[in-house]
Amino acid sequence: MGCVSPLGPDCAGAAAALADARDCVSPVEAFDVSGCKCRSAGQIPDAWLDRAASATRRARRWNRASQMLLLAAIEALGGREDFAPDAVVIGTTSGGMTFGEAFYRMFERGARDRRAPQWVRDYMPQQPVRDAMGVFGFEAPVRIVSNACASGTNALGAAFHLVRSGRARRVLCGGYDALCELVFAGFSSLQAATEEKCRPFDAQRSGLVLGEGAAVFLLEPLADALRANRAVLAEIAGYGASTDNHHLTQPNPDGSGPRRAMESALTDAGWSGGEIEYVNAHGTATPFNDACEARALAAVCPGAPVSSTKGQMGHSLGAAGAIEAAFCVLAMRGGFLPANVNFRAPDAGVALDIVANTPRRTRPRRVLSNSLGFGGANASLLLEAAES
Amino acid sequence: MKARIHGVGWVTPLGRDPAAVWQAIQAGATPRPGELTNPFTGRTHPIRRVDPASVADVAGRPRLRRSSVISHFAVAAALDALRDAGCDPANERVALVFAATNGGVIYTRRFFEDVSKTGAHAGSPLLFPETVYNAPASHVAAALGMPGISTTLVNDATVGVEAIAAAVELLESDACDHCLVVAAEEADWVICEAYATWRLTGEAPTIETKRESGAIFGEGSAAVLLGADGNGPEIAELHSGTLFRSIAQARTKLVRIVGNFAGDVPLVISSASETRFDEAERDVAPAARRIAPKAALGECFAASTLAQIVCATLAIRDGTSNALIPVVGFHGQVAALALRG
């Protein structure tokens, strides 16, 4: 497993920031946000991404998205060059969009730019995956899932089903997204982004902040890993998805969309909702999302401790599901429940056990990670702690 | 288990009726292209347009009134594929796999145009939600009343084959009774300019001349409804995208992946679009009859791949025993699919 996020350049850094309940959201400087209500985001320092160039000098010219994905893949592979995947499944929403923006602005400026062919190539969602695979010499079929903010969880779920069905023995999967002006402006236009702190599930929550990052997992059948005496970090036990046809950007307030995804995942795993010991919620801190998800959680796994880690690092869109699955694994291995930071008061009528502001010391064995996206895309992943 | 194609639909520059469009393709129709103009440079690009009247029945639906044409195309083709199969999503578990290469590029360009001109605060909240790749899938699911699994896949044209692979997986896992695979694309000057930087666009090429002078882009959609059993062409072979670094390597890889089933294939539905990538298909079943639908329909990326599959399905319905569908993507992947009657 590998993860680069605003919480840290690797899993160890993220685990430390989670254990400290650190708020890693900072002012945006990459582009002009002066006209926007929200002016902050969870961002990855360029200095962390510079490390990508140590793997290949070409990475200096890559899009930040490619650099993030490569760093996560390097950590996940951890020197295991023998892990040649049969398939690669990666989620994203925006690809290398900053290069698409540069391409458009070239016409506005009225001057051709010799970098234009590279911008075209590198803005496409598959290019960061090709870049990272190229470093390792992988040639497996690539599946790019783009189900908005559920993409990362969908990618892990699809990879899980590929392995479980025997269609693939080794899958490299995950998600990535890098902050870009188009998407920042998009959430600003929807008035979904907040000018103050991101406060998931809080009574006074006022919206999300964006984030960025990448997480990559190596999946294989448990039996294969045990036979080869490889360390097992966690097991994926179940996956479910549903579509909420209520509205393109707003969930059905009754929570039926995420509820069906969670129920489907539980059926897939053969678990009951009462067995869930921690929920890493989608929890964007928008009024509609959190109310809908809270209703669904109260129905499916009442009493389970819940937190959203988006208060700490923002919403990384297509990467979110993969990064949050990594956080779940870190929580199971580290013996804590990540905090729901910036929480002040519970929402009236929402009966959730929020892990408010401070991590809770306990070692969850069965956890649920939710992702809900535009287009009514809902996805739920169930993870189980590995046997020692 | 093998999946079978139970229904097909498409929206093309030649119309929407499968039999009539297929006949026109076989007859070598090459409709006169329209034009898209880059407003900054005045440069024009030929484009194979869909007649808006052909999707008027879906464009007026409440959910689609503000959406871009890519969603109109997707919903129309999806509806036709379901009707063709006699499938009602209200009575069956129908999953959806949507495939795109460029996606909702018109609203994306328009949204960013506003942002770039006026600032990040100036984007339209009506446009932004339609810029996400899965917006058309969302509209299809809502229009057809499909609350189950919906997945949007993105890649070069080989994503059409990957979408079929994903659908077969869903059927095999019993996650659905049918799986609807839809691909759609819309045309915008910025996409033409993008591929022009790779020297893939043509001024006014025709495939018949074999000049490889560049593709004419198109717009439209295609859809196939897959089921686990019953009648209809069978997905006999499927090879997901594999990477290539040169045309020569693409040619070798394509021959290798189709090797098992290319020997006796009477028909190849080609992905040729009069670019240098056409060379990659040269050694694929050279004795077979070859039809290149992009001559008539334009280069429509993911939608073109689904349109190739629709063509093969219609050929098999007409009596062809089997057909081979090679796909060469502009972004370095080759894939292939074979259908058997």
Side-chain angles (χ1 to χ4, degrees):
Chain A
M1 179 174 87
C3 178
V4 54
S5 75
L7 300 195
D10 50 26
C11 289
L18 287 169
D20 290 348
R22 211 178 298 153
D23 184 339
C24 298
V25 172
S26 59
V28 172
E29 293 174 356
F31 43 83
D32 179 17
V33 294
S34 56
C36 299
K37 204 167 69 170
C38 175
R39 298 176 188 181
S40 59
Q43 296 158 95
I44 295 174
D46 286 341
W48 294 357
L49 299 181
D50 288 345
R51 293 184 309 138
S54 63
T56 171
R57 286 171 58 192
R58 291 194 309 273
R60 289 193 186 118
R61 293 194 302 273
W62 286 358
N63 190 282
R64 283 165 55 79
S66 291
Q67 294 168 342
M68 289 174 198
L69 191 62
L70 174 62
L71 290 176
I74 288 171
E75 187 185 14
L77 285 157
R80 275 196 54 194
E81 307 302 339
D82 62 321
F83 190 97
D86 306 321
V88 177
V89 189
I90 300 290
T92 184
T93 65
S94 317
M97 185 54 80
T98 53
F99 282 3
E101 295 167 1
F103 183 75
Y104 176 82
R105 285 197 160 121
M106 176 181 74
F107 293 107
E108 275 189 336
R109 286 196 311 275
R112 301 296 295 183
D113 193 304
R114 62 184 172 77
R115 292 170 294 179
Q118 187 209 343
W119 286 338
V120 170
R121 185 194 66 199
D122 289 3
Y123 105 92
M124 296 183 186
Q126 60 270 25
Q127 184 61 31
V129 186
R130 291 199 59 176
D131 284 337
M133 288 174 64
V135 169
F136 299 104
F138 296 157
E139 295 196 342
V142 174
R143 182 175 298 179
I144 306 293
V145 180
S146 196
N147 285 351
C149 305
S151 303
T153 300
N154 287 133
L156 265 60
F160 164 57
H161 282 173
L162 280 173
V163 171
R164 191 173 65 179
S165 67
R167 283 184 164 267
R169 291 202 78 81
R170 294 171 166 191
V171 182
L172 190 148
C173 60
Y176 76 88
D177 256 325
L179 199 64
C180 66
E181 188 174 358
L182 187 148
V183 172
F184 196 92
F187 281 96
S188 183
S189 76
L190 293 173
Q191 302 195 28
T194 182
E195 59 191 314
E196 55 132 28
K197 295 281 188 187
C198 173
R199 305 181 191 281
F201 298 109
D202 187 89
Q204 299 299 317
R205 64 188 181 275
S206 52
L208 56 77
V209 298
L210 289 172
E212 61 181 356
V216 168
F217 296 80
L218 312 184
L219 258 54
E220 65 181 340
L222 181 62
D224 286 8
L226 295 176
R227 200 178 303 119
N229 203 25
R230 284 194 282 268
V232 178
L233 301 179
E235 290 180 62
I236 297 180
Y239 165 68
S242 73
T243 305
D244 180 347
N245 290 325
H246 179 70
H247 186 269
L248 185 56
T249 58
Q250 290 175 12
N252 190 325
D254 69 6
S256 56
R259 196 188 68 227
R260 283 186 285 110
M262 287 187 266
E263 288 170 347
S264 170
L266 288 167
T267 302
D268 197 39
W271 295 1
S272 70
E275 294 176 85
I276 304 295
E277 296 168 21
Y278 166 64
V279 178
N280 187 298
H282 186 61
T284 55
T286 60
F288 286 128
N289 174 85
D290 289 10
C292 164
E293 188 178 14
R295 197 157 288 133
L297 285 168
V300 174
C301 44
V306 175
S307 70
S308 164
T309 42
K310 290 186 174 72
Q312 284 186 256
M313 63 157 282
H315 186 0
S316 56
L317 307 174
I323 289 175
E324 287 159 15
F327 290 175
C328 287
V329 174
L330 294 173
M332 287 190 289
R333 293 174 65 79
F336 66 92
L337 306 185
N340 191 101
V341 302
N342 305 323
F343 188 81
R344 294 183 300 200
D347 201 352
V350 173
L352 294 181
D353 174 14
I354 299 292
V355 185
N357 300 316
T358 309
R360 202 175 287 176
R361 298 305 305 183
T362 182
R363 191 174 293 276
R365 292 196 46 76
R366 291 185 162 186
V367 307
L368 162 67
S369 182
N370 280 341
S371 294
L372 322 177
F374 277 7
N378 305 299
S380 297
L381 195 70
L382 296 171
L383 296 158
E384 185 161 25
E387 297 294 336
S388 59
Chain B
M1 185 192 78
K2 295 287 186 185
R4 290 180 180 276
I5 294 177
H6 290 177
V8 297
W10 57 15
V11 175
T12 79
L14 292 174
R16 195 167 146 186
D17 175 66
V21 174
W22 174 226
Q23 200 167 25
I25 289 169
Q26 292 179 92
T30 49
R32 189 179 178 77
E35 275 185 354
L36 278 170
T37 304
N38 179 337
F40 295 104
T41 65
R43 180 180 181 178
T44 60
H45 299 274
I47 190 81
R48 301 231 185 269
R49 285 280 195 200
V50 167
D51 179 358
S54 68
V55 291
D57 59 322
V58 301
R61 291 174 174 230
R63 174 89 181 229
L64 293 172
R65 274 185 208 137
R66 289 171 174 170
S67 68
S68 193
V69 290
I70 186 174
S71 294
H72 304 172
F73 299 155
V75 170
L79 269 171
D80 290 353
L82 289 171
R83 282 187 193 130
D84 187 38
C87 173
D88 182 356
N91 302 324
E92 296 184 54
R93 297 175 306 152
V94 182
L96 172 65
V97 180
F98 179 74
T101 299
N102 301 312
V105 66
I106 295 175
Y107 278 25
T108 303
R109 192 260 307 151
R110 281 177 53 193
F111 180 82
F112 191 68
E113 196 172 84
D114 293 342
V115 169
S116 193
K117 264 186 203 155
T118 319
H121 61 286
S124 163
L126 298 180
L127 297 180
F128 179 64
E130 303 284 348
T131 68
V132 296
Y133 279 109
N134 67 325
S138 167
H139 292 309
V140 170
L144 305 181
M146 294 161 54
I149 294 169
S150 171
T151 295
T152 292
L153 305 181
V154 184
N155 212 318
D156 65 15
T158 58
V159 71
V161 176
E162 188 63 20
I164 299 289
V168 171
E169 288 161 21
L170 289 169
L171 287 166
E172 285 191 343
S173 66
D174 195 34
C176 57
D177 302 316
H178 277 103
C179 188
L180 183 61
V181 182
V182 186
E185 303 285 1
E186 60 186 17
D188 191 79
W189 66 262
V190 78
I191 285 297
C192 297
E193 291 284 4
Y195 287 97
T197 69
W198 288 1
R199 301 176 187 214
L200 291 172
T201 54
E203 297 304 319
T206 57
I207 283 179
E208 290 80 0
T209 64
K210 307 290 184 197
R211 284 184 293 107
E212 295 189 2
S213 58
I216 293 186
F217 288 172
E219 59 182 7
S221 61
V224 299
L225 185 73
L226 293 177
D229 45 32
N231 297 319
E234 178 187 9
I235 309 291
E237 296 278 350
L238 188 152
H239 292 271
S240 295
T242 180
L243 299 173
F244 65 82
R245 289 181 179 77
S246 66
I247 302 294
Q249 192 184 38
R251 199 167 144 190
T252 307
K253 286 198 169 188
L254 202 47
V255 167
R256 193 167 72 218
I257 65 176
V258 305
N260 293 336
F261 50 97
D264 60 349
V265 70
L267 176 65
V268 171
I269 305 292
S270 163
S271 69
S273 60
E274 204 167 340
T275 72
R276 58 184 178 273
F277 288 96
D278 296 359
E279 172 74 5
E281 285 189 22
R282 199 171 74 179
D283 299 332
V284 173
R289 182 186 174 211
R290 189 170 297 263
I291 294 175
K294 289 176 187 175
L297 308 183
E299 173 59 72
C300 214
F301 304 93
S304 285
T305 303
L306 263 289
Q308 287 174 257
I309 297 169
V310 171
C311 287
T313 301
L314 296 170
I316 287 171
R317 285 181 183 176
D318 287 347
T320 300
S321 59
N322 54 74
L324 178 61
I325 299 149
V327 182
V328 184
F330 286 167
H331 205 209
Q333 293 195 92
V334 288
L337 190 78
L339 297 186
R340 185 164 52 215

